[in-house]
Amino acid sequence: MKACLFDLDGVIVDTAVYHFKAWRRLANELGFDFTEHQNEQLKGISRMESLERILSWGDVSLSPEEKETWAARKNEWYLAYVRQMTPAEVLPGVKDFLTTLHKNGIKIALGSASKNAPLILERIEMASYFDAVIDGTHTTRSKPDPEVFLLGAQALGFPPSDCIVFEDAVAGIEAAHRGGMKAVGIGSPEVLTEADLVVPGFTQLTLDQLFAL
Ligand code: BG6
Ligand code: MG
């Protein structure tokens, strides 16, 4: 292991909750609802692909212009949460873990589907922790396509086989594997069944566990 690639939403910070709340408001305003279980399918995928899935759950069809309008509305609701974020929202153990990686000469990149990733890194004052940042403005294909992680590995200058991905999304674990990388799931083993290792958070993870992968 020479490099680690981190998802952002749900791994570094719990913005996954804010995405869920904003998408649910959109569904409610369109006259339906969806469950937390369904929400798992939205994790890691792009804004427009998320919208398409949600609309199909509610059996709602919209014109391309209406889709753009609703996606922009959702993003405004989401950004209202993001603007209130502080560095205190970084998930437990994340900063210590990244510092340990750095001290051991391991390179670190962000690999996020979010176009809001740079803003979030700024809000939580963590931009300086990453040697490279690949976000939703750099990619053309959403997870489970491996593009975001392959670009991250390339930016750090290592082959996929030297990289480990950290993900809270089923689609993200699949993306890592399709890119030829190991994947550590952050969350529940019942959800992240394909991960090479699952931990509830970074306080429960050691470097030795990573090297053992
Ligand atoms: C991913 C999230 O990180 O980014 C998804 O898991 C989200 O829930 C996607 O839809 C796109 O984010 P944004 O901020 O560009 O709308
Ligand atoms: Mg995520």
Side-chain angles (χ1 to χ4, degrees):
M1 181 198 38
K2 307 252 173 54
C4 288
L5 309 177
F6 290 81
D7 174 47
L8 174 68
D9 296 317
V11 170
I12 304 288
V13 276
D14 203 5
T15 36
V17 171
Y18 302 148
H19 278 295
F20 180 44
K21 286 186 178 171
W23 282 128
R24 211 166 160 210
R25 176 166 173 189
L26 175 142
N28 291 169
E29 294 203 6
L30 287 168
F32 63 100
D33 202 2
F34 65 91
T35 64
E36 208 163 342
H37 181 71
Q38 285 173 294
N39 185 59
E40 287 301 326
Q41 294 180 41
L42 303 179
K43 290 184 179 176
I45 67 170
S46 72
R47 196 180 305 167
M48 292 314 279
E49 279 185 51
S50 301
L51 177 65
E52 295 291 352
R53 275 192 205 197
I54 293 166
L55 293 177
S56 78
W57 294 336
D59 214 7
V60 172
S61 39
L62 298 177
S63 68
E65 295 74 28
E66 287 169 324
K67 284 179 189 169
E68 289 298 337
T69 304
W70 280 103
R73 255 178 222 160
K74 181 269 174 180
N75 196 48
E76 271 314 309
W77 299 328
Y78 175 68
L79 285 178
Y81 294 114
V82 169
R83 287 192 199 100
Q84 291 189 21
M85 288 179 77
T86 69
E89 273 179 75
V90 176
L91 288 169
V94 168
K95 284 188 176 174
D96 284 347
F97 191 75
L98 295 191
T99 303
T100 304
L101 291 177
H102 265 305
K103 283 186 183 151
N104 284 272
I106 294 159
K107 293 281 182 197
I108 302 172
L110 191 83
S112 170
S114 174
K115 294 183 172 163
N116 295 305
L119 172 67
I120 294 170
L121 288 183
E122 190 189 305
R123 295 288 324 157
I124 60 174
E125 297 174 8
M126 279 198 68
S128 63
Y129 281 76
F130 296 91
D131 301 299
V133 172
I134 309 295
D135 63 42
T137 65
H138 302 107
T139 55
T140 53
R141 292 180 302 275
S142 209
K143 299 170 189 175
D145 188 284
E147 183 184 26
V148 68
F149 295 133
L150 292 174
L151 290 174
Q154 199 177 49
L156 296 179
F158 292 104
S161 54
D162 283 348
C163 302
I164 296 183
V165 166
F166 296 82
E167 261 291 351
D168 70 318
V170 174
I173 303 285
E174 188 182 333
H177 286 159
R178 278 166 63 175
M181 305 171 193
K182 295 280 187 204
V184 176
I186 307 297
S188 133
E190 282 84 57
V191 175
L192 305 172
T193 53
E194 301 304 313
D196 299 293
L197 168 72
V198 181
V199 287
F202 287 94
T203 48
Q204 288 89 357
L205 188 62
T206 64
L207 268 194
D208 285 342
Q209 280 175 293
L210 294 188
F211 285 119
L213 293 176

